[in-house]
Amino acid sequence: MTSWMDGAGKALRTVVAPGTTVGKTLRASKDAARAFRDGVWPVEPAPEPVREGPGLTDYAEWLAEQPELDPLPDAPATDFLVLIEAPAGADEAAAEAVAVTAESVRSQGSARARTLVVTTGTPMRDALDGATEGFVLFLRAGSVLREHALEQIAKRYRVDPVLTLVAFDADTLAGDGERIEPRFRPAWSPEMLLGANYLGRAFAIRSELARDVPSGAVDDHGVWRLLLSGEFAEDTVGLVPHVLLSEPEGATPAIRDADAAMVAAVLTARGEPATAEVVNGVVRVRFQQEQWPTVSIVVPSRHSRANLERLLTSLVTTDYPAFDVTVVDNGGASDDNDEWYATLQPGFPLRHVWWTEEPFNYSRVNTVTARETDGEVLVFLNDDTEIVDAGWLRELVGLLLRDGVGTVGFQHRTQDGLVQHAGVMIGPGGFAANLFAGLDPDDDTLMGPVRWYRDSLAVTGACVGIQREHFEEVGGFDQRFQLTGSDVVLGLDQVIRGRRNAVIPFDAVRHFESLTRGAHAPRADSFASYWRYQPWIAGGDPYISPNVCRLTAVPRFAAPDDPTPTELALAGLGRPFTSSAQQQSTISEDATSLLPIADISAAEVAAVLDTHRSTTGRREVRTVNWLLPGFDLPFFGGVNTALRIADKLRRDHGVENRFFVNGHPHDEFYSSAIAAAFPALADALVTNYYGTDEGLAAIPPADAAIATFWLTARDVAKTPGTPRKFYLVQDYEPSFYPASTMFAMTEQTYRLGLYGICNTRSMHDIYAGGYRGTATYFTPAVDRGIFHPEGRRQKGEDEPLTIFAYARDHFRNCWELVFAALSEIKRRHGDGVRIIAAGAKYLPPSADFLDLGLLDYRATGRLYRTTDIGVTMQISRHPSYLPLELMASGVAMVVPDSPWFRWLFRSGENARTTMMTVDDVVAGIEQLIVDARLRRDIAAAGTETIDRSHSDWDVALDGIYDFLADPEGTAIPTSAPEWIAP
């Protein structure tokens, strides 16, 4: 990993912890084992040679590092019409330019393409009359399609056949043939399209859409009209992040008044009345409303009179029918301060409230104050802002009321006229930064001119507008943030719900940053930010091309040796970084590493049994010690369930929960993780422990101790001072390993005499029936606020079906089997299906699947409601929560025909069960593809199953406290034979 120097000359580097294992938890435990064995914690490696700054600045250097686009092994079936636009009365030079473009099309290898030369201004309907090709490209004469470009576009469509438009990157051909001035595209950005055609000619569009645009012509004006007029959405616009097109120098014309008139006309025809004009080379759009909503403006302040006088004086100029302003002041109430407010006569409704809560919490101040106002739209302004355009509020609200928009802000300028904020990007330093900070508003960048409209993941809280219903839907600003980060999360919460955040690029609201509270960000806010930003830190910012370095707010080319934002974030938080890829260490290596921390004697097991025999009757539980493995995310799987149980014990019974993490001395990381998932546990004790006798003896006594993983079961058994000891059994963990020392060590934990709290009846039958343990069980539920079928759209018969597959890289998910089956389904059904994989970056480039990586769990429900068929093939004894969540969202499931899952799945009724063979999995999926009625019936029955038995976590966990208080008296007997254990 290459390091670089920051502005102060300090070396920045990431930390890569040693150790490779079969999974993150196991890997972390092996690292801990080495520490116990050696008596030291692993130290960070020495830094490698330093280079200046992240990313690259030279396009030729970046191009040289890019892999060549190889021909695809299977030629996609999509065919193309390439319209080559030539000026009227073409001369010899124009004819040569046409020939250059035509030759680049002929050189596209296996791609099926036809060229047609048309004169500039030819109506699109005429140009496309009789065309049978699926997609059309509009290229200028002289443009060059790079080798295999059309194959890449066709591949993108084959993977996702709902796409109606596929965009890609482009550069410019200088007169000497040098490639210069690349332009890297973001994800679909409809607000960017208002001010300029940010796609240029670098896209392919379904031919029927181009043919249907009224007044569309083959020229720059008409192509922009086509893009503005189309009914596009995030899920129908794809992006190929490769430079597939080189255009002749000077090909892109300046924006004209006629373009502004066209933009206004198209928007008005779409039911969005607007005026438009060209300002500094960009179309400035002002949406109109027959009736403007009322607006409440909230201004937090520490009684900075200089700031407030500047802001309030500038607000007087605001041209808006109905707005009010509330200043919430934590500068201290006094007669003098009250008198100062009394003397203000701003010319608009103004009130002030005194804020006395300590410690100061910016998120709470704004949220509480906003709820005391009446406006249909909320605008939050820092007191260190200044209004410099009287029409600012109409412009903000007009854009905010567009369908699909969540929040709106302005590009902010500093006193010297440079950009302070042009949208939030996630990546720099591992967290978030203000895009284009320090640039001149007239600068150009790899992502386009600074002066364009932008869609982004969030906008700064210094000036942000949001509809009140959208604000309340997400609970306002997240109050886990004290000073910084909650404005970013407000935007991310809109993205999770399918909305966009837009930045208006014109100089209307200036921000004198951090004049109010300084620039200090509390460390706790950094941890809170990590947990809320994490899916985008790890998975990427959709508005920042993967070709752009994610580590700097001023765009540079991505360098292959740049550290990832995840590495930087974890390094900043002081936590070692380890790869999430499935590792291939040997079973013998794993066992050798773990033997020191999996050891327990027969006498110690006997002591557990003796303690339990001597602890009789019901004993109320006031304290619980939870022994956890190290974990990376608190929102999923077994760790989340353990925390959910702890949260319920606290809420319903006042239990004091203490969390001890196995061998990981990073209390701040884990305590913030727990609070991120369950805020009510924020005050719980969270610390590490070591599995030595001395380390276990240091754990304080408690009424109960609960192991949450097989490696912590031995520690619970050996921990003194606890009268009752429990084991949260959530899967048959021996099955994660073949017959081996690892299997034996894992299986032995079921014979330690611990009381079992089993996740599902199947696990109870194994623990109580197979290993004669005393146990209870609960049946898992789903969060119906996230997972529900409301809003599902009935698809047309000609629309592709969406299949969702769990691609988490753990052996028990049988991903190889699922991958093979889905590959065959795609081969058979082609454009009739789109296959989505999520859970981890685990797909080969050749896969015809959409790879969504790791998603924010709050966003998965919306994804599932667009899914028709779900596939999971768990080989272990627990089905995971995924099929329950998919069933709750109205998805028809294909699952293993396993006796361990029959408490949930009824074959042919609420799921299609199959053998664990490729042929039978294919047959099960295919049956649901071709039999729409069966698919709908199974989906409906699945949702009914969740409604009936798995819709309330509180109900599911109701019996656990009584079991903790009296395990012998409340244990659930098993009818399973003792030989059930493998």
Side-chain angles (χ1 to χ4, degrees), residues 507-546:
D507 187 18
V509 181
R510 293 179 184 166
H511 181 208
F512 306 90
E513 184 178 20
S514 301
L515 292 181
T516 304
R517 307 200 63 88
H520 170 69
R523 183 165 170 79
D525 284 355
S526 296
F527 282 94
S529 296
Y530 176 76
W531 297 115
R532 290 305 313 272
Y533 304 176
Q534 206 277 334
W536 295 273
I537 293 174
D541 183 329
Y543 300 108
I544 307 298
S545 167

Short mmCIF file of all heavy atoms in Angstrom, two decimals, residues 507-546:
data_model
loop_
_atom_site.label_atom_id
_atom_site.label_comp_id
_atom_site.label_asym_id
_atom_site.label_seq_id
_atom_site.Cartn_x
_atom_site.Cartn_y
_atom_site.Cartn_z
N ASP A 507 -24.52 31.59 -7.60
CA ASP A 507 -24.10 32.33 -6.40
C ASP A 507 -25.31 33.02 -5.78
O ASP A 507 -25.65 34.14 -6.15
CB ASP A 507 -23.03 33.35 -6.79
CG ASP A 507 -22.41 34.04 -5.58
OD1 ASP A 507 -22.56 33.50 -4.47
OD2 ASP A 507 -21.76 35.09 -5.76
N ALA A 508 -25.94 32.35 -4.83
CA ALA A 508 -27.14 32.90 -4.21
C ALA A 508 -27.03 32.94 -2.69
O ALA A 508 -27.59 33.83 -2.05
CB ALA A 508 -28.36 32.07 -4.61
N VAL A 509 -26.35 31.96 -2.10
CA VAL A 509 -26.18 31.89 -0.65
C VAL A 509 -24.70 31.64 -0.38
O VAL A 509 -24.18 30.59 -0.75
CB VAL A 509 -27.04 30.78 -0.02
CG1 VAL A 509 -26.85 30.75 1.49
CG2 VAL A 509 -28.51 30.96 -0.38
N ARG A 510 -24.06 32.59 0.27
CA ARG A 510 -22.65 32.43 0.60
C ARG A 510 -22.50 31.93 2.03
O ARG A 510 -23.32 32.22 2.89
CB ARG A 510 -21.90 33.74 0.41
CG ARG A 510 -21.84 34.16 -1.05
CD ARG A 510 -21.13 35.47 -1.26
NE ARG A 510 -21.19 35.87 -2.67
CZ ARG A 510 -20.90 37.06 -3.12
NH1 ARG A 510 -20.51 38.02 -2.28
NH2 ARG A 510 -20.98 37.34 -4.41
N HIS A 511 -21.41 31.19 2.23
CA HIS A 511 -21.20 30.56 3.54
C HIS A 511 -19.81 30.91 4.05
O HIS A 511 -18.81 30.59 3.40
CB HIS A 511 -21.35 29.04 3.41
CG HIS A 511 -21.19 28.31 4.70
ND1 HIS A 511 -20.73 27.01 4.77
CD2 HIS A 511 -21.42 28.69 5.98
CE1 HIS A 511 -20.69 26.62 6.03
NE2 HIS A 511 -21.10 27.62 6.78
N PHE A 512 -19.77 31.55 5.20
CA PHE A 512 -18.50 31.87 5.86
C PHE A 512 -18.23 30.76 6.86
O PHE A 512 -18.53 30.87 8.04
CB PHE A 512 -18.59 33.23 6.53
CG PHE A 512 -19.03 34.31 5.57
CD1 PHE A 512 -20.37 34.63 5.40
CD2 PHE A 512 -18.09 34.99 4.81
CE1 PHE A 512 -20.77 35.61 4.50
CE2 PHE A 512 -18.48 35.97 3.90
CZ PHE A 512 -19.82 36.28 3.75
N GLU A 513 -17.66 29.66 6.34
CA GLU A 513 -17.68 28.38 7.03
C GLU A 513 -17.07 28.43 8.41
O GLU A 513 -16.01 28.99 8.64
CB GLU A 513 -16.92 27.33 6.20
CG GLU A 513 -16.98 25.94 6.79
CD GLU A 513 -16.27 24.92 5.92
OE1 GLU A 513 -15.44 25.33 5.10
OE2 GLU A 513 -16.55 23.73 6.07
N SER A 514 -17.79 27.81 9.37
CA SER A 514 -17.31 27.54 10.73
C SER A 514 -17.01 28.80 11.51
O SER A 514 -16.26 28.77 12.47
CB SER A 514 -16.06 26.64 10.68
OG SER A 514 -16.35 25.43 10.06
N LEU A 515 -17.58 29.93 11.13
CA LEU A 515 -17.41 31.12 11.94
C LEU A 515 -18.15 31.00 13.26
O LEU A 515 -17.82 31.66 14.24
CB LEU A 515 -17.93 32.36 11.18
CG LEU A 515 -17.13 32.78 9.94
CD1 LEU A 515 -17.77 34.02 9.32
CD2 LEU A 515 -15.68 33.07 10.29
N THR A 516 -19.17 30.15 13.30
CA THR A 516 -20.00 30.06 14.50
C THR A 516 -19.37 29.19 15.57
O THR A 516 -19.18 29.61 16.70
CB THR A 516 -21.38 29.48 14.12
OG1 THR A 516 -21.95 30.29 13.10
CG2 THR A 516 -22.29 29.48 15.33
N ARG A 517 -19.01 27.97 15.22
CA ARG A 517 -18.56 27.03 16.24
C ARG A 517 -17.14 26.54 16.01
O ARG A 517 -16.66 25.67 16.71
CB ARG A 517 -19.49 25.81 16.32
CG ARG A 517 -20.94 26.15 16.49
CD ARG A 517 -21.71 24.97 17.03
NE ARG A 517 -21.25 24.60 18.35
CZ ARG A 517 -21.73 25.13 19.48
NH1 ARG A 517 -22.63 26.08 19.43
NH2 ARG A 517 -21.26 24.73 20.65
N GLY A 518 -16.44 27.09 15.01
CA GLY A 518 -15.11 26.59 14.73
C GLY A 518 -15.18 25.34 13.86
O GLY A 518 -16.25 24.89 13.48
N ALA A 519 -14.02 24.78 13.57
CA ALA A 519 -13.96 23.66 12.63
C ALA A 519 -13.78 22.32 13.31
O ALA A 519 -13.61 21.31 12.66
CB ALA A 519 -12.79 23.89 11.65
N HIS A 520 -13.83 22.28 14.65
CA HIS A 520 -13.59 21.03 15.36
C HIS A 520 -14.76 20.06 15.17
O HIS A 520 -15.92 20.45 15.30
CB HIS A 520 -13.39 21.30 16.84
CG HIS A 520 -13.36 20.06 17.68
ND1 HIS A 520 -12.33 19.15 17.61
CD2 HIS A 520 -14.27 19.56 18.58
CE1 HIS A 520 -12.59 18.15 18.45
NE2 HIS A 520 -13.75 18.37 19.04
N ALA A 521 -14.43 18.81 14.86
CA ALA A 521 -15.44 17.76 14.77
C ALA A 521 -15.22 16.78 15.90
O ALA A 521 -14.14 16.21 16.02
CB ALA A 521 -15.35 17.05 13.43
N PRO A 522 -16.20 16.56 16.77
CA PRO A 522 -16.03 15.61 17.87
C PRO A 522 -15.68 14.22 17.34
O PRO A 522 -16.20 13.78 16.31
CB PRO A 522 -17.40 15.62 18.56
CG PRO A 522 -18.02 16.91 18.16
CD PRO A 522 -17.52 17.20 16.78
N ARG A 523 -14.82 13.53 18.06
CA ARG A 523 -14.41 12.20 17.63
C ARG A 523 -15.60 11.26 17.56
O ARG A 523 -15.68 10.40 16.68
CB ARG A 523 -13.35 11.66 18.59
CG ARG A 523 -12.80 10.30 18.17
CD ARG A 523 -11.52 9.94 18.91
NE ARG A 523 -11.11 8.58 18.70
CZ ARG A 523 -10.49 8.13 17.62
NH1 ARG A 523 -10.22 8.97 16.62
NH2 ARG A 523 -10.14 6.86 17.50
N ALA A 524 -16.55 11.43 18.47
CA ALA A 524 -17.73 10.57 18.45
C ALA A 524 -18.49 10.73 17.14
O ALA A 524 -19.09 9.76 16.64
CB ALA A 524 -18.64 10.88 19.63
N ASP A 525 -18.48 11.93 16.56
CA ASP A 525 -19.16 12.14 15.28
C ASP A 525 -18.47 11.35 14.16
O ASP A 525 -19.12 10.92 13.20
CB ASP A 525 -19.19 13.62 14.92
CG ASP A 525 -20.23 14.39 15.73
OD1 ASP A 525 -20.97 13.76 16.50
OD2 ASP A 525 -20.28 15.63 15.61
N SER A 526 -17.15 11.17 14.27
CA SER A 526 -16.44 10.39 13.26
C SER A 526 -16.88 8.93 13.28
O SER A 526 -17.10 8.31 12.23
CB SER A 526 -14.92 10.48 13.49
OG SER A 526 -14.47 11.81 13.32
N PHE A 527 -17.04 8.38 14.47
CA PHE A 527 -17.51 7.00 14.57
C PHE A 527 -18.95 6.88 14.08
O PHE A 527 -19.30 5.95 13.34
CB PHE A 527 -17.39 6.51 16.02
CG PHE A 527 -16.00 6.13 16.41
CD1 PHE A 527 -15.17 7.03 17.04
CD2 PHE A 527 -15.52 4.87 16.14
CE1 PHE A 527 -13.88 6.69 17.40
CE2 PHE A 527 -14.22 4.51 16.48
CZ PHE A 527 -13.39 5.42 17.12
N ALA A 528 -19.80 7.83 14.50
CA ALA A 528 -21.19 7.79 14.03
C ALA A 528 -21.25 7.91 12.52
O ALA A 528 -22.06 7.25 11.86
CB ALA A 528 -21.98 8.92 14.70
N SER A 529 -20.38 8.75 11.96
CA SER A 529 -20.34 8.91 10.50
C SER A 529 -19.94 7.61 9.82
O SER A 529 -20.52 7.23 8.80
CB SER A 529 -19.35 10.01 10.12
OG SER A 529 -19.76 11.27 10.60
N TYR A 530 -18.97 6.93 10.37
CA TYR A 530 -18.51 5.68 9.75
C TYR A 530 -19.66 4.69 9.61
O TYR A 530 -19.84 4.07 8.56
CB TYR A 530 -17.37 5.06 10.56
CG TYR A 530 -16.94 3.72 10.01
CD1 TYR A 530 -16.17 3.66 8.85
CD2 TYR A 530 -17.34 2.53 10.60
CE1 TYR A 530 -15.79 2.43 8.32
CE2 TYR A 530 -16.96 1.30 10.08
CZ TYR A 530 -16.19 1.26 8.94
OH TYR A 530 -15.84 0.04 8.41
N TRP A 531 -20.45 4.55 10.68
CA TRP A 531 -21.52 3.54 10.63
C TRP A 531 -22.62 3.94 9.67
O TRP A 531 -23.21 3.07 9.01
CB TRP A 531 -22.07 3.31 12.04
CG TRP A 531 -21.03 2.76 12.95
CD1 TRP A 531 -20.48 3.34 14.04
CD2 TRP A 531 -20.35 1.50 12.80
NE1 TRP A 531 -19.52 2.55 14.59
CE2 TRP A 531 -19.42 1.40 13.85
CE3 TRP A 531 -20.44 0.44 11.90
CZ2 TRP A 531 -18.58 0.30 14.02
CZ3 TRP A 531 -19.62 -0.65 12.06
CH2 TRP A 531 -18.71 -0.72 13.10
N ARG A 532 -22.91 5.24 9.55
CA ARG A 532 -23.97 5.66 8.63
C ARG A 532 -23.48 5.77 7.20
O ARG A 532 -24.23 5.55 6.25
CB ARG A 532 -24.57 6.99 9.09
CG ARG A 532 -25.39 6.92 10.36
CD ARG A 532 -26.53 5.89 10.31
NE ARG A 532 -27.33 5.93 9.12
CZ ARG A 532 -28.40 6.71 8.95
NH1 ARG A 532 -28.78 7.52 9.93
NH2 ARG A 532 -29.07 6.71 7.83
N TYR A 533 -22.21 6.12 6.99
CA TYR A 533 -21.68 6.25 5.62
C TYR A 533 -21.18 4.92 5.07
O TYR A 533 -20.87 4.83 3.88
CB TYR A 533 -20.48 7.20 5.58
CG TYR A 533 -20.64 8.60 6.10
CD1 TYR A 533 -19.53 9.45 6.15
CD2 TYR A 533 -21.86 9.10 6.55
CE1 TYR A 533 -19.63 10.74 6.62
CE2 TYR A 533 -21.96 10.39 7.03
CZ TYR A 533 -20.84 11.21 7.07
OH TYR A 533 -20.93 12.49 7.55
N GLN A 534 -21.06 3.91 5.91
CA GLN A 534 -20.29 2.73 5.58
C GLN A 534 -20.61 2.09 4.23
O GLN A 534 -19.70 1.74 3.46
CB GLN A 534 -20.41 1.70 6.71
CG GLN A 534 -19.25 0.74 6.84
CD GLN A 534 -19.35 -0.43 5.89
OE1 GLN A 534 -20.44 -0.81 5.49
NE2 GLN A 534 -18.22 -1.03 5.54
N PRO A 535 -21.89 1.92 3.86
CA PRO A 535 -22.15 1.31 2.55
C PRO A 535 -21.55 2.08 1.38
O PRO A 535 -21.13 1.49 0.39
CB PRO A 535 -23.68 1.27 2.47
CG PRO A 535 -24.12 1.25 3.90
CD PRO A 535 -23.15 2.13 4.62
N TRP A 536 -21.48 3.40 1.48
CA TRP A 536 -20.93 4.23 0.41
C TRP A 536 -19.42 4.35 0.54
O TRP A 536 -18.73 4.47 -0.47
CB TRP A 536 -21.59 5.60 0.42
CG TRP A 536 -23.04 5.51 0.09
CD1 TRP A 536 -23.61 5.52 -1.16
CD2 TRP A 536 -24.13 5.36 1.02
NE1 TRP A 536 -24.97 5.40 -1.06
CE2 TRP A 536 -25.33 5.30 0.26
CE3 TRP A 536 -24.21 5.29 2.40
CZ2 TRP A 536 -26.58 5.16 0.86
CZ3 TRP A 536 -25.46 5.15 3.00
CH2 TRP A 536 -26.62 5.09 2.24
N ILE A 537 -18.90 4.31 1.76
CA ILE A 537 -17.45 4.25 1.93
C ILE A 537 -16.91 3.00 1.25
O ILE A 537 -15.92 3.04 0.52
CB ILE A 537 -17.07 4.27 3.43
CG1 ILE A 537 -17.43 5.62 4.08
CG2 ILE A 537 -15.58 4.00 3.61
CD1 ILE A 537 -17.23 5.64 5.58
N ALA A 538 -17.58 1.88 1.49
CA ALA A 538 -17.11 0.61 0.95
C ALA A 538 -17.51 0.42 -0.51
O ALA A 538 -16.72 -0.09 -1.31
CB ALA A 538 -17.67 -0.55 1.79
N GLY A 539 -18.72 0.81 -0.86
CA GLY A 539 -19.25 0.50 -2.18
C GLY A 539 -19.09 1.57 -3.23
O GLY A 539 -19.28 1.31 -4.41
N GLY A 540 -18.75 2.80 -2.82
CA GLY A 540 -18.55 3.86 -3.79
C GLY A 540 -19.67 4.89 -3.77
O GLY A 540 -20.79 4.63 -3.37
N ASP A 541 -19.32 6.08 -4.21
CA ASP A 541 -20.26 7.18 -4.35
C ASP A 541 -20.78 7.15 -5.78
O ASP A 541 -20.00 7.27 -6.73
CB ASP A 541 -19.52 8.50 -4.06
CG ASP A 541 -20.41 9.72 -4.10
OD1 ASP A 541 -21.40 9.73 -4.88
OD2 ASP A 541 -20.13 10.69 -3.38
N PRO A 542 -22.09 6.97 -5.99
CA PRO A 542 -22.59 6.82 -7.37
C PRO A 542 -22.38 8.06 -8.22
O PRO A 542 -22.42 7.96 -9.45
CB PRO A 542 -24.08 6.53 -7.17
CG PRO A 542 -24.40 7.09 -5.82
CD PRO A 542 -23.17 6.90 -5.00
N TYR A 543 -22.18 9.22 -7.59
CA TYR A 543 -21.99 10.45 -8.37
C TYR A 543 -20.52 10.77 -8.61
O TYR A 543 -20.20 11.81 -9.20
CB TYR A 543 -22.70 11.60 -7.67
CG TYR A 543 -24.18 11.34 -7.54
CD1 TYR A 543 -24.77 11.02 -6.31
CD2 TYR A 543 -25.00 11.35 -8.67
CE1 TYR A 543 -26.11 10.75 -6.20
CE2 TYR A 543 -26.36 11.07 -8.57
CZ TYR A 543 -26.91 10.77 -7.33
OH TYR A 543 -28.25 10.49 -7.23
N ILE A 544 -19.63 9.89 -8.16
CA ILE A 544 -18.21 10.02 -8.42
C ILE A 544 -17.78 8.79 -9.22
O ILE A 544 -17.83 7.67 -8.73
CB ILE A 544 -17.39 10.11 -7.12
CG1 ILE A 544 -17.94 11.21 -6.21
CG2 ILE A 544 -15.92 10.33 -7.42
CD1 ILE A 544 -17.88 12.61 -6.78
N SER A 545 -17.37 8.98 -10.45
CA SER A 545 -16.99 7.87 -11.32
C SER A 545 -15.87 7.06 -10.68
O SER A 545 -14.98 7.62 -10.02
CB SER A 545 -16.52 8.42 -12.67
OG SER A 545 -15.86 7.41 -13.42
N PRO A 546 -15.87 5.74 -10.86
CA PRO A 546 -14.74 4.94 -10.38
C PRO A 546 -13.42 5.32 -11.04
O PRO A 546 -12.36 4.93 -10.56
CB PRO A 546 -15.15 3.50 -10.71
CG PRO A 546 -16.21 3.62 -11.74
CD PRO A 546 -16.91 4.91 -11.48
#
